[in-house]
Every structure is written in structure tokens, then in C-alpha cells.
């Protein structure tokens, strides 16, 4: 047996996300996922061992790219305002690109295995710590208001960014760039994106 191709796994994961979103995780079956993917049920078992593992892969498909993107932003040497802007764009892009995955995660994270739940919670804490670090750098550089509670602000910011997946619909008059600009305008109350001379 050859090595599984990632496109085959991705096809199955995408199908699982659609079925979980439509039916709910508890009411979904591997038969429905196989049908959605256009493969047989035994084919599913060639790639994943269970429905719960599919849920964990959906979570990982969102958190790993975001973790990598946030790490790149944090370690870059650009000014805080640019880092915050990149952070906003990264999250807006992920919320739109992985909309179905976000819906599944938000509706079913309590059904993750103990290990999957630990990974998800650790990632959520990392994201909030990263946002706090960005805002702290912004305060130090004079582009973020110093009179706000940075932990509360980071939680509010991340909740807002995550919520995009719940209300954005493809074909809306606002595309990714438009939503990014609206988020920038919204946070302008506490972030100054204008370069300092």
C-alpha cells in the first residue's frame, strides 16, 4: 500500500467538516462522510481511524497554520502597528477560508478527546498571549492606548475575529480585503496605524 496522498486526506476532512456542520457532529456518521467525499467507508479508514480523529484534524487544520502565522508575526522586526495589522489580516483570512471548520470547532470543541481539548485550549491561550504581546509592543511604541486592559482587549479582539466565521457568507458585498479594512477601522479606537515620523 502506498503512502496516503494529502489531497485524499484533505478531501475526507473537508467532507467531514461539511457533514458535521450540516448534521451536527453527534448525528453524523462515517457513511455520510464517505458519501460526501465520494469515497467508500473503508477508504476513510485508510486515512483516519475514527470520526473523533476527523474532528481533531479539523481543529488542527485551523490552529497549526494560525500558530505558524502568529509566530512569524511575533518574531518579525517590523513595527507594532504593522504586526497588529498582519495579525488582523491573518485572522480575517483564516475565519473566511476555514469558515466551515470554525463552525465545526465552535459547535463541537466540547466533544474533543481529552488530548484534543488540551491542545485546543493551549492554542487558545497562546493566541491570547500573542495578542497581548503585540498590544504591549504597541503601547511601548506609542501606537496602542496605554489606558486599556490588554488582556481584556486581546480577548475581545480574538472573539471579534473568530466571529467573522459565523456571519460572513461567500458572495457578500464585503470580501476579505473589505472586512480587513472594517476591522482596522474598528480597532482604530485603540490602535494608531499611521506611521510615526
Amino acid at each position: 500500500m502506498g503512502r496516503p496522498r494529502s489531497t485524499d486526506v484533505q478531501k475526507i476532512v473537508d467532507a467531514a467538516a461539511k457533514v458535521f456542520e450540516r448534521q451536527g457532529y453527534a448525528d453524523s456518521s462515517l457513511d455520510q462522510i464517505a458519501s460526501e467525499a465520494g469515497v467508500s467507508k473503508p477508504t476513510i479508514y485508510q486515512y483516519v481511524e475514527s470520526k473523533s480523529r476527523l474532528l481533531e484534524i479539523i481543529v488542527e487544520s485551523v490552529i497549526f497554520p494560525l500558530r505558524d502565522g502568529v509566530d512569524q508575526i511575533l518574531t518579525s522586526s517590523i513595527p507594532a502597528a504593522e504586526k497588529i495589522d498582519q495579525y488582523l489580516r491573518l485572522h480575517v483570512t483564516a475565519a473566511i477560508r476555514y469558515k466551515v471548520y470554525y463552525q465545526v470547532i465552535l459547535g463541537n470543541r466540547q466533544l474533543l478527546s481529552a488530548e484534543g481539548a488540551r491542545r485546543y485550549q493551549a492554542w487558545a491561550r497562546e493566541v491570547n498571549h500573542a495578542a497581548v504581546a503585540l498590544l504591549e509592543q504597541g503601547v511601548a511604541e506609542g501606537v496602542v492606548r496605554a489606558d486599556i486592559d490588554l488582556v481584556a482587549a486581546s480577548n475581545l479582539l480574538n472573539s471579534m475575529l473568530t466571529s467573522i466565521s459565523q456571519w460572513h457568507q461567500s458572495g457578500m458585498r464585503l470580501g476579505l480585503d473589505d472586512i480587513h479594512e472594517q476591522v482596522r477601522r474598528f480597532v482604530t479606537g485603540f490602535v494608531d496605524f499611521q506611521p510615526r515620523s
Side-chain angles (χ1 to χ4, degrees):
M1 180 164 110
R3 196 179 117 217
R5 294 181 315 202
S6 62
T7 54
D8 292 333
V9 173
Q10 191 60 53
K11 180 176 161 182
I12 292 167
V13 173
D14 287 344
K18 289 175 186 171
V19 171
F20 292 164
E21 181 191 32
R22 191 171 52 239
Q23 302 283 126
Y25 175 82
D27 294 331
S28 298
S29 70
L30 287 176
D31 287 322
Q32 292 167 323
I33 294 166
S35 177
E36 181 76 29
V39 299
S40 67
K41 188 174 176 181
T43 299
I44 299 250
Y45 283 114
Q46 288 180 348
Y47 299 103
V48 294
E49 63 273 7
S50 65
K51 185 172 86 166
S52 63
R53 179 63 188 133
L54 280 168
L55 180 58
E56 289 179 3
I57 292 171
I58 289 168
V59 172
E60 292 166 1
S61 296
V62 171
I63 66 176
F64 291 156
L66 276 174
R67 177 182 287 148
D68 292 344
V70 169
D71 286 346
Q72 288 175 8
I73 292 166
L74 285 174
T75 58
S76 71
S77 59
I78 60 177
E82 289 180 48
K83 286 184 178 184
I84 294 168
D85 193 38
Q86 287 183 7
Y87 182 87
L88 298 176
R89 177 167 283 285
L90 175 70
H91 280 277
V92 169
T93 302
I96 292 172
R97 180 175 180 208
Y98 297 111
K99 176 185 176 55
V100 173
Y101 286 29
Y102 271 69
Q103 301 275 338
V104 170
I105 294 167
L106 294 173
N108 298 288
R109 66 181 174 251
Q110 74 281 3
L111 300 173
L112 289 168
S113 69
E115 180 58 30
R118 275 192 294 278
R119 282 194 307 267
Y120 176 81
Q121 290 164 353
W123 169 78
R125 282 190 300 275
E126 286 175 23
V127 169
N128 282 334
H129 291 312
V132 170
L134 290 174
L135 296 176
E136 285 172 342
Q137 182 182 348
V139 169
E141 293 179 17
V143 296
V144 172
R145 289 176 41 182
D147 64 337
I148 61 171
D149 182 291
L150 299 181
V151 173
S154 72
N155 280 295
L156 291 166
L157 182 63
N158 288 329
S159 295
M160 175 186 65
L161 292 167
T162 300
S163 78
I164 293 167
S165 68
Q166 296 176 307
W167 56 264
H168 183 267
Q169 300 293 322
S170 62
M172 282 182 71
R173 64 180 178 79
L174 296 177
L176 189 148
D177 291 335
D178 301 314
I179 293 173
H180 173 240
E181 181 57 29
Q182 292 302 312
V183 171
R184 288 182 91 238
R185 289 179 187 177
F186 186 77
V187 300
T188 298
F190 69 93
V191 176
D192 181 4
F193 288 107
Q194 300 304 313
R196 302 253 181 219
S197 356

